[in-house]
């Protein structure tokens, strides 16, 4: 049996800027655009109120990680499956799903951090 070739991402990982992330989401997950816009508005309001850019940095990092996951169809599908499993009544299944979700998120945030260097 031969190993299958690694799956190619749908798009390259964009820089963690509002414009680049919005364009990426429009391409690979257009249904998420309203949430993106709503959360951007909230982060901008928090940044203005606190005179601090941290809310905007968190927003960009969070959405960059989202794009990192969504641009890899197998990872995105697996994450959705795990999210469904995490809602089960089986505590052991919930723990396993949560652990795997944590791994996916850790990998996505690590990839974003590497890209920012």
């Amino acid at each position: 049996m031969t190993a299958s070739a690694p799956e190619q991402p749908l798009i390259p990982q964009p820089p963690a800027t509002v414009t680049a992330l919005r364009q990426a989401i429009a391409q690979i997950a257009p249904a998420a655009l309203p949430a993106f816009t709503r959360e951007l508005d909230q982060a901008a309001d928090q940044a203005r109120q606190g005179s601090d850019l941290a809310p905007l940095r968190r927003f960009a990092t969070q959405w960059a990680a989202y794009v990192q996951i969504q641009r890899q169809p197998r990872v995105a599908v697996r994450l959705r499956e795990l999210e469904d499993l995490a809602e089960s009544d089986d505590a052991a299944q919930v723990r396993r799903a949560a652990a795997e979700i944590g791994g996916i998120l850790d990998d996505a945030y690590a990839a974003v951090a590497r890209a920012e260097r």
Side-chain angles (χ1 to χ4, degrees):
M1 174 159 50
T2 61
S4 61
E7 180 182 49
Q8 293 297 312
L10 296 174
I11 62 171
Q13 180 68 21
T17 65
V18 171
T19 301
L21 292 171
R22 182 182 289 120
Q23 290 171 347
I25 292 166
Q27 268 188 284
I28 61 173
L33 280 173
F36 177 89
T37 302
R38 183 177 53 256
E39 291 179 24
L40 174 58
D41 290 345
Q42 291 169 348
D45 288 346
Q46 291 171 353
R48 274 192 298 274
Q49 290 169 357
S51 298
D52 181 12
L53 293 178
L56 289 169
R57 287 188 193 105
R58 279 190 302 272
F59 166 84
T61 300
Q62 173 191 331
W63 281 94
Y66 175 83
V67 168
Q68 173 66 19
I69 292 166
Q70 296 303 313
R71 68 192 197 95
Q72 301 172 79
R74 288 185 190 153
V75 175
V77 166
R78 182 62 182 152
L79 181 60
R80 284 190 292 279
E81 292 169 351
L82 292 165
E83 289 170 339
D84 289 343
L85 289 173
E87 294 179 10
S88 88
D89 291 333
D90 181 339
Q93 186 174 346
V94 170
R95 280 192 302 277
R96 285 190 301 272
E100 194 173 340
I101 289 169
I104 290 171
L105 294 175
D106 286 348
D107 290 348
Y109 279 99
V112 168
R114 282 191 305 274
E116 289 178 354
R117 288 186 208 151

